[in-house]
Amino acid sequence: MLKKILSFCLILTPFLSSAQKQTTFTHADTLRGAITPERVWWDLTYYHLRVTPNAKDSTISGSTIINYKVLEPKQVIQVDLQEPLQIEKVIQDGQTLTYKRDGNAFFITLSKKQEKGKSESIEVFYSGRPRLAKRPPWDGGVQWVPDGKGNTIISTSCQGLGSSVWWPCKDHMYDEPDSMMVSITVPKAMTDVSNGKLRSVVENNDGTHTFNWAVVNPINNYGVNMNVAPYVSWSEIYKGEKGDLPVSFYVYPENLEKAKVQFDQANKMLKAFEHWFGPYPFYEDGYKLVEVPYLGMEHQSSVTYGNGYKMGYLGRDLSKTGWGLKWDFIIIHESGHEWFANNITYKDAADMWIHESFTNYSENLYTEFYFGKEAGADYVIGTRALIANDIPIIGTYNVNQEGSRDMYYKGGNMLHTIRQVVNDDEKWRQILRGLNKTFYHQTVETKQIEDYVNKNTGRDISKIFDQYLRDTQIPVLEYSFKGNSVQYRWVNVIAGFDMPVKIKLADGKNQFVYPTTDWKTLKTKGEKTLTVDRNFYVESKSV
């Protein structure tokens, strides 16, 4: 489905310099990242993904049924599938179609005349040995991990890389199906856990069974997953804002007891995030937490977990304040993506900050909900030490390229700063909830988020977004005392930057001042010290 467009976890990454990121782009990047002529004319409405993984030789085989609505009468359709996987055949209405391969894109010529407004379907059959995940989830693909008991655990992770690394699809974020079925066939000793609710398990005559998972909400492509293991599970009902939410947990048998303790945080997460962001966006599909052999990922309604049942990030507090050890990073962060990534989804990878900045900020809000406002502030301010300020947060459009890793910590601190500018905690909470209501199940671009926040804060904060998202400079409040006054201005900022900031003079009184890039003067009582409120991500300098 083309999510309503008004204009047009990944998780913590390893500490690599963004200078290592690709700066030149290829034809393949355009095919992957652009809304090409062979994509734009059809609206994706439904997938039925059918996959049989074979652990003996690390191969997969299967098909994808792709239902779509014709927006314009064209005859060539683009479907993506990454090497070394191969399409075996494509069928429409019983007729085998011809296609040409261009790298990871297949251009299929449709024999049937495509008529505007009609609903059509193709089935794409494929097989091969998919790309092995090199360092999942950051460098993803498919994992095949022996468990030492004669089984092979299989898992997928593919944000950025794209879901076409393991199944044929329309591999661009702007268009999502209205619904989906995921059918995975595995040996009878194993269980598959995928997205949505389990509709049926079909016993086959060859020693396998097929798990049929139904997703009844729109779903982004990298949010689709396959997790195969000898899982044990339990389920609960969370009494949420929209009623009863089915909550299920799937873990390795040897971890059942500690999982029942650690995973209790899922209910606490739901309570906190429904308070801040509004109802969990996928009540109809439920919420699952699924153990995997990598760190974790925000797969929609099937959040994956591999944090070793430790508090913090693999036992570390990223903020170095102590607050990050009060909760399990992967449960909180990856689940936060259900609101920002899976509900509100970026249209283009250049706008990945919409996923990561808000979800990084959710860690702060979770901390605040359970430990108080100062604790939440301590946490987000503590993460400033991880900001690189190397390249802008917003990346390059139409080539599947995100911006700086600062979209996490700098993005979270930007949102914390904007909250201070709003200076009304309930208004700010309603803005966060309003975003999830207004853009419910939609793909968006940065401008839509900026326009919404501008409108609902009651002030134009466009320059704040420009400063933190599109520039690498950190604002500096420059000030100078003269007699019974202090002069102040912004430096190290973009043209027109005019963010208000809260300061404290020696008399201990907090007050807002409204600097621009020109000097302004404030009357004082002879004080000679000035302190900027720590909650603003800025620096200060006496001159």
Side-chain angles (χ1 to χ4, degrees), residues 128-142:
R129 183 173 287 109
R131 182 185 192 273
L132 293 175
K134 297 177 182 178
R135 195 183 182 193
W138 306 288
D139 193 354
V142 181

PDB file of all heavy atoms in Angstrom, residues 128-142:
ATOM      1  N   GLY A 128      18.326 -20.225  -4.026  1.00  0.00           N
ATOM      2  CA  GLY A 128      19.752 -19.962  -3.990  1.00  0.00           C
ATOM      3  C   GLY A 128      20.293 -19.901  -2.580  1.00  0.00           C
ATOM      4  O   GLY A 128      19.590 -20.154  -1.593  1.00  0.00           O
ATOM      5  N   ARG A 129      21.555 -19.547  -2.488  1.00  0.00           N
ATOM      6  CA  ARG A 129      22.234 -19.422  -1.199  1.00  0.00           C
ATOM      7  C   ARG A 129      22.331 -17.931  -0.875  1.00  0.00           C
ATOM      8  O   ARG A 129      23.154 -17.218  -1.433  1.00  0.00           O
ATOM      9  CB  ARG A 129      23.622 -20.071  -1.258  1.00  0.00           C
ATOM     10  CG  ARG A 129      24.365 -20.047   0.077  1.00  0.00           C
ATOM     11  CD  ARG A 129      25.666 -20.840   0.026  1.00  0.00           C
ATOM     12  NE  ARG A 129      25.392 -22.279   0.012  1.00  0.00           N
ATOM     13  CZ  ARG A 129      25.576 -23.062  -1.036  1.00  0.00           C
ATOM     14  NH1 ARG A 129      26.014 -22.549  -2.190  1.00  0.00           N
ATOM     15  NH2 ARG A 129      25.324 -24.357  -0.971  1.00  0.00           N
ATOM     16  N   PRO A 130      21.504 -17.431   0.034  1.00  0.00           N
ATOM     17  CA  PRO A 130      21.485 -15.984   0.294  1.00  0.00           C
ATOM     18  C   PRO A 130      22.765 -15.510   0.973  1.00  0.00           C
ATOM     19  O   PRO A 130      23.497 -16.298   1.575  1.00  0.00           O
ATOM     20  CB  PRO A 130      20.275 -15.810   1.210  1.00  0.00           C
ATOM     21  CG  PRO A 130      20.147 -17.127   1.905  1.00  0.00           C
ATOM     22  CD  PRO A 130      20.562 -18.166   0.894  1.00  0.00           C
ATOM     23  N   ARG A 131      22.986 -14.245   0.875  1.00  0.00           N
ATOM     24  CA  ARG A 131      24.142 -13.601   1.499  1.00  0.00           C
ATOM     25  C   ARG A 131      24.187 -13.921   2.980  1.00  0.00           C
ATOM     26  O   ARG A 131      23.203 -13.738   3.714  1.00  0.00           O
ATOM     27  CB  ARG A 131      24.047 -12.097   1.302  1.00  0.00           C
ATOM     28  CG  ARG A 131      25.191 -11.274   1.860  1.00  0.00           C
ATOM     29  CD  ARG A 131      24.854  -9.801   1.667  1.00  0.00           C
ATOM     30  NE  ARG A 131      25.972  -8.936   1.905  1.00  0.00           N
ATOM     31  CZ  ARG A 131      26.325  -8.450   3.110  1.00  0.00           C
ATOM     32  NH1 ARG A 131      25.621  -8.792   4.166  1.00  0.00           N
ATOM     33  NH2 ARG A 131      27.346  -7.624   3.237  1.00  0.00           N
ATOM     34  N   LEU A 132      25.326 -14.401   3.446  1.00  0.00           N
ATOM     35  CA  LEU A 132      25.495 -14.657   4.866  1.00  0.00           C
ATOM     36  C   LEU A 132      25.650 -13.341   5.612  1.00  0.00           C
ATOM     37  O   LEU A 132      26.370 -12.443   5.156  1.00  0.00           O
ATOM     38  CB  LEU A 132      26.724 -15.539   5.110  1.00  0.00           C
ATOM     39  CG  LEU A 132      26.656 -16.981   4.602  1.00  0.00           C
ATOM     40  CD1 LEU A 132      27.999 -17.680   4.820  1.00  0.00           C
ATOM     41  CD2 LEU A 132      25.538 -17.748   5.296  1.00  0.00           C
ATOM     42  N   ALA A 133      25.000 -13.225   6.738  1.00  0.00           N
ATOM     43  CA  ALA A 133      25.162 -12.036   7.563  1.00  0.00           C
ATOM     44  C   ALA A 133      26.588 -12.015   8.104  1.00  0.00           C
ATOM     45  O   ALA A 133      27.030 -12.966   8.745  1.00  0.00           O
ATOM     46  CB  ALA A 133      24.150 -12.050   8.695  1.00  0.00           C
ATOM     47  N   LYS A 134      27.298 -10.925   7.841  1.00  0.00           N
ATOM     48  CA  LYS A 134      28.698 -10.835   8.249  1.00  0.00           C
ATOM     49  C   LYS A 134      28.847 -10.324   9.677  1.00  0.00           C
ATOM     50  O   LYS A 134      29.662 -10.815  10.450  1.00  0.00           O
ATOM     51  CB  LYS A 134      29.454  -9.916   7.284  1.00  0.00           C
ATOM     52  CG  LYS A 134      29.482 -10.444   5.856  1.00  0.00           C
ATOM     53  CD  LYS A 134      30.188  -9.465   4.920  1.00  0.00           C
ATOM     54  CE  LYS A 134      30.176  -9.972   3.489  1.00  0.00           C
ATOM     55  NZ  LYS A 134      30.818  -8.992   2.555  1.00  0.00           N
ATOM     56  N   ARG A 135      28.053  -9.316  10.008  1.00  0.00           N
ATOM     57  CA  ARG A 135      28.082  -8.767  11.372  1.00  0.00           C
ATOM     58  C   ARG A 135      26.693  -8.243  11.698  1.00  0.00           C
ATOM     59  O   ARG A 135      26.471  -7.044  11.786  1.00  0.00           O
ATOM     60  CB  ARG A 135      29.125  -7.656  11.489  1.00  0.00           C
ATOM     61  CG  ARG A 135      29.438  -7.318  12.951  1.00  0.00           C
ATOM     62  CD  ARG A 135      30.421  -6.164  13.039  1.00  0.00           C
ATOM     63  NE  ARG A 135      30.742  -5.905  14.432  1.00  0.00           N
ATOM     64  CZ  ARG A 135      31.375  -4.822  14.863  1.00  0.00           C
ATOM     65  NH1 ARG A 135      31.744  -3.900  13.998  1.00  0.00           N
ATOM     66  NH2 ARG A 135      31.633  -4.663  16.136  1.00  0.00           N
ATOM     67  N   PRO A 136      25.748  -9.172  11.852  1.00  0.00           N
ATOM     68  CA  PRO A 136      24.359  -8.738  12.041  1.00  0.00           C
ATOM     69  C   PRO A 136      24.181  -8.024  13.370  1.00  0.00           C
ATOM     70  O   PRO A 136      24.868  -8.346  14.341  1.00  0.00           O
ATOM     71  CB  PRO A 136      23.592 -10.063  12.008  1.00  0.00           C
ATOM     72  CG  PRO A 136      24.599 -11.091  12.456  1.00  0.00           C
ATOM     73  CD  PRO A 136      25.915 -10.626  11.915  1.00  0.00           C
ATOM     74  N   PRO A 137      23.298  -7.034  13.436  1.00  0.00           N
ATOM     75  CA  PRO A 137      22.403  -6.595  12.374  1.00  0.00           C
ATOM     76  C   PRO A 137      22.989  -5.508  11.472  1.00  0.00           C
ATOM     77  O   PRO A 137      22.348  -5.092  10.526  1.00  0.00           O
ATOM     78  CB  PRO A 137      21.220  -6.024  13.155  1.00  0.00           C
ATOM     79  CG  PRO A 137      21.865  -5.418  14.352  1.00  0.00           C
ATOM     80  CD  PRO A 137      22.999  -6.358  14.710  1.00  0.00           C
ATOM     81  N   TRP A 138      24.227  -5.038  11.784  1.00  0.00           N
ATOM     82  CA  TRP A 138      24.763  -3.902  11.029  1.00  0.00           C
ATOM     83  C   TRP A 138      25.126  -4.288   9.599  1.00  0.00           C
ATOM     84  O   TRP A 138      24.967  -3.499   8.681  1.00  0.00           O
ATOM     85  CB  TRP A 138      25.978  -3.336  11.760  1.00  0.00           C
ATOM     86  CG  TRP A 138      25.680  -2.994  13.171  1.00  0.00           C
ATOM     87  CD1 TRP A 138      24.918  -1.951  13.620  1.00  0.00           C
ATOM     88  CD2 TRP A 138      26.109  -3.705  14.328  1.00  0.00           C
ATOM     89  NE1 TRP A 138      24.850  -1.977  14.988  1.00  0.00           N
ATOM     90  CE2 TRP A 138      25.576  -3.037  15.454  1.00  0.00           C
ATOM     91  CE3 TRP A 138      26.898  -4.838  14.533  1.00  0.00           C
ATOM     92  CZ2 TRP A 138      25.794  -3.463  16.758  1.00  0.00           C
ATOM     93  CZ3 TRP A 138      27.118  -5.267  15.835  1.00  0.00           C
ATOM     94  CH2 TRP A 138      26.569  -4.578  16.930  1.00  0.00           C
ATOM     95  N   ASP A 139      25.663  -5.461   9.441  1.00  0.00           N
ATOM     96  CA  ASP A 139      25.990  -5.981   8.115  1.00  0.00           C
ATOM     97  C   ASP A 139      25.247  -7.302   7.992  1.00  0.00           C
ATOM     98  O   ASP A 139      25.762  -8.370   8.323  1.00  0.00           O
ATOM     99  CB  ASP A 139      27.506  -6.166   7.980  1.00  0.00           C
ATOM    100  CG  ASP A 139      27.933  -6.391   6.536  1.00  0.00           C
ATOM    101  OD1 ASP A 139      27.042  -6.507   5.673  1.00  0.00           O
ATOM    102  OD2 ASP A 139      29.151  -6.452   6.287  1.00  0.00           O
ATOM    103  N   GLY A 140      24.002  -7.212   7.538  1.00  0.00           N
ATOM    104  CA  GLY A 140      23.061  -8.301   7.717  1.00  0.00           C
ATOM    105  C   GLY A 140      22.975  -9.282   6.561  1.00  0.00           C
ATOM    106  O   GLY A 140      23.819  -9.323   5.660  1.00  0.00           O
ATOM    107  N   GLY A 141      21.905 -10.054   6.591  1.00  0.00           N
ATOM    108  CA  GLY A 141      21.654 -11.134   5.658  1.00  0.00           C
ATOM    109  C   GLY A 141      20.971 -12.255   6.398  1.00  0.00           C
ATOM    110  O   GLY A 141      20.093 -12.023   7.241  1.00  0.00           O
ATOM    111  N   VAL A 142      21.393 -13.493   6.145  1.00  0.00           N
ATOM    112  CA  VAL A 142      20.833 -14.661   6.821  1.00  0.00           C
ATOM    113  C   VAL A 142      21.917 -15.311   7.663  1.00  0.00           C
ATOM    114  O   VAL A 142      23.060 -15.452   7.230  1.00  0.00           O
ATOM    115  CB  VAL A 142      20.266 -15.669   5.804  1.00  0.00           C
ATOM    116  CG1 VAL A 142      19.662 -16.876   6.526  1.00  0.00           C
ATOM    117  CG2 VAL A 142      19.207 -15.010   4.917  1.00  0.00           C
TER     118      VAL A 142
END
